[in-house]
């Protein structure tokens, strides 16, 4: 998917929402545990209830891998279900991978050849040769961790040398490895005030912004500081949407929550003259 196709979808749906499929077997409604694949049953109903107000889904691999082979099957079924029924929706493997070159190449194969993800989150710590193997896949995206939403972000990411913070260095250096058509960055919504400076470095790249909803980041601040002429934002919410209810009405309630976020997004897109 190109950035223009993503933007067209954002305008069509008046939404830059990414629903995080962080599907926890201990949190899903109990009645689903009687089905053959409770994780997929949950995801399918969430997708059916939210696909018209979301432009991306982001399964976080930890929730699937923690269940062994069954979790992996649920993940594959989820990706196939989205691809088959909603081919315009961007799918992110939130796997935070990155290793020596030949190993990264195998990770890329797993997500882009074996499964039909559009993108994968990658950690930059091991440098260029750990990221490049993901970038050689045509029409696929790397979403590189830049400034994360968690408290631990302050352990390393703000370290400064020659007036440059580590996360700024990561963005500047890695931007030369790929293009605006195959590289996005993660910037946490909890650090939205940094987005204006980040936009000085990468005005055009798409950003994946997690941290609204359960982590308390502000959508308005994110849009104020980070939106560009093609929107340039995918804002993720996981728990804030998918766990709106633990009863049989869980998908309807998730939809209600997604619509609240989407309506705020529509307002922001309008204010920025994009719709
Ligand atoms: O890469 C990510 O998606 C990510 C980066 C980051 O800095 N912070 C962050 O929360 N995430 C992910 O975004 C999701 C946030 O979930 P909620 O806090 O439930 O909305 C989780 O899947 C996290 O792993």
């Amino acid at each position: 998917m190109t950035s223009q196709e993503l933007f067209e979808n954002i305008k069509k749906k008046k939404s830059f929402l990414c629903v995080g499929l962080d599907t926890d077997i201990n949190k899903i409604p109990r009645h689903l545990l009687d089905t053959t694949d409770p994780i997929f049953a949950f995801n399918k109903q969430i997708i059916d209830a939210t696909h018209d107000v979301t432009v991306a889904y982001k399964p976080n691999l930890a929730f699937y891998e923690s269940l062994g082979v069954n979790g992996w099957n649920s993940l594959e079924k989820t990706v196939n279900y989205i691809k088959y029924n909603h081919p315009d929706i961007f799918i992110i493997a939130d796997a935070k991978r990155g290793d020596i070159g030949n190993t990264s190449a195998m990770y890329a194969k797993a997500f882009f050849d074996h499964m039909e993800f559009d993108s994968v989150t990658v950690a930059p710590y091991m440098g260029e040769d750990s990221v490049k193997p993901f970038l050689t896949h045509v029409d696929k995206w790397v979403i590189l961790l830049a400034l994360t939403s968690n408290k631990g972000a302050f352990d390393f990411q703000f370290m400064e040398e020659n007036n440059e913070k580590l996360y700024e260095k990561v963005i500047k250096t890695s931007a030369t490895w790929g293009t605006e058509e195959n590289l996005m960055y993660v910037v946490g919504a909890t650090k939205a005030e940094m987005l204006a400076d980040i936009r000085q470095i990468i005005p055009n790249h798409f950003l994946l912004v997690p941290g609204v909803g359960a982590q308390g980041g502000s959508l308005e601040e994110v849009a104020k500081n980070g939106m560009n002429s093609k929107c340039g934002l995918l804002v993720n919410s996981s728990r804030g949407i998918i766990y709106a209810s633990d009863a049989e009405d869980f998908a309807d309630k998730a939809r209600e929550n997604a619509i609240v976020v989407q309506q705020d997004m529509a307002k922001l897109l309008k204010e920025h003259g994009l719709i």
Side-chain angles (χ1 to χ4, degrees):
M1 189 178 299
T2 65
S3 64
Q4 187 60 33
E5 285 168 339
L6 195 50
F7 182 41
E8 293 304 327
N9 217 12
I10 288 170
K11 287 190 287 187
K12 191 175 83 190
K13 290 180 168 171
K14 300 182 172 58
S15 170
F16 45 102
L17 175 62
C18 171
V19 171
L21 297 173
D22 296 6
T23 307
D24 181 342
I25 193 79
N26 296 310
K27 280 196 185 162
I28 64 176
R30 297 297 87 186
H31 71 278
L32 293 177
L33 299 181
D34 299 332
T35 61
T36 49
D37 186 345
I39 298 288
F40 177 67
F42 179 85
N43 286 352
K44 180 180 176 302
Q45 287 196 54
I46 293 285
I47 293 160
D48 290 346
T50 58
H51 68 86
D52 59 327
V53 291
T54 184
V55 293
Y57 286 107
K58 181 174 76 66
N60 184 306
L61 272 281
F63 292 84
Y64 302 85
E65 289 174 334
S66 67
L67 300 174
V69 70
N70 289 341
W72 203 254
N73 282 335
S74 307
L75 176 67
E76 287 206 35
K77 276 161 73 177
T78 300
V79 174
N80 291 342
Y81 186 77
I82 299 167
K83 267 283 160 237
Y84 185 76
N85 293 287
H86 310 292
D88 59 330
I89 293 187
F90 190 75
I91 317 177
I92 302 166
D94 187 3
K96 300 186 178 71
R97 297 297 148 98
D99 204 324
I100 59 169
N102 63 317
T103 307
S104 275
M106 286 298 173
Y107 279 137
K109 248 179 116 134
F111 295 117
F112 295 152
D113 293 344
H114 187 71
M115 285 191 278
E116 287 195 79
F117 281 103
D118 296 295
S119 61
V120 60
T121 56
V122 174
Y125 197 74
M126 289 179 72
E128 181 173 359
D129 58 332
S130 74
V131 177
K132 279 259 175 89
F134 294 97
L135 290 167
T136 56
H137 288 250
V138 179
D139 283 340
K140 303 289 182 180
W141 293 77
V142 162
I143 308 183
L144 201 69
L145 297 180
L147 181 57
T148 58
S149 67
N150 59 327
K151 195 163 136 273
F154 293 102
D155 290 344
F156 302 120
Q157 294 167 23
F158 284 87
M159 281 180 176
E160 214 166 312
E161 197 180 76
N162 301 329
N163 260 335
E164 189 176 58
K165 298 184 181 69
L166 181 58
Y167 75 84
E168 293 172 332
K169 173 99 182 158
V170 164
I171 293 171
K172 280 182 198 162
T173 304
S174 61
T176 66
W177 303 339
T179 70
E180 291 162 10
E181 288 301 324
N182 67 3
L183 189 56
M184 300 186 188
Y185 290 93
V186 172
V187 179
T190 53
K191 317 248 176 356
E193 67 281 8
M194 308 297 168
L195 273 168
D197 289 342
I198 289 173
R199 277 295 181 214
Q200 298 289 319
I201 309 171
I202 38 165
N204 301 322
H205 285 74
F206 257 89
L207 306 176
L208 170 64
V209 185
V212 301
Q215 297 178 53
S218 155
L219 179 63
E220 284 67 29
E221 282 296 301
V222 169
K224 191 176 95 190
N225 295 316
M227 197 174 273
N228 66 19
S229 62
K230 274 187 178 177
C231 181
L233 299 169
L234 293 174
V235 171
N236 180 84
S237 179
S238 307
R239 288 166 294 177
I241 289 182
I242 67 173
Y243 300 127
S245 159
D246 60 4
E248 299 216 353
D249 64 351
F250 75 94
D252 292 340
K253 295 290 179 202
R255 176 172 178 76
E256 283 173 22
N257 281 13
I259 286 175
V260 169
V261 181
Q262 183 268 325
Q263 285 176 348
D264 286 345
M265 289 178 166
K267 219 173 93 206
L268 292 163
L269 286 166
K270 212 166 183 178
E271 279 170 18
H272 282 76
L274 299 182
I275 56 172

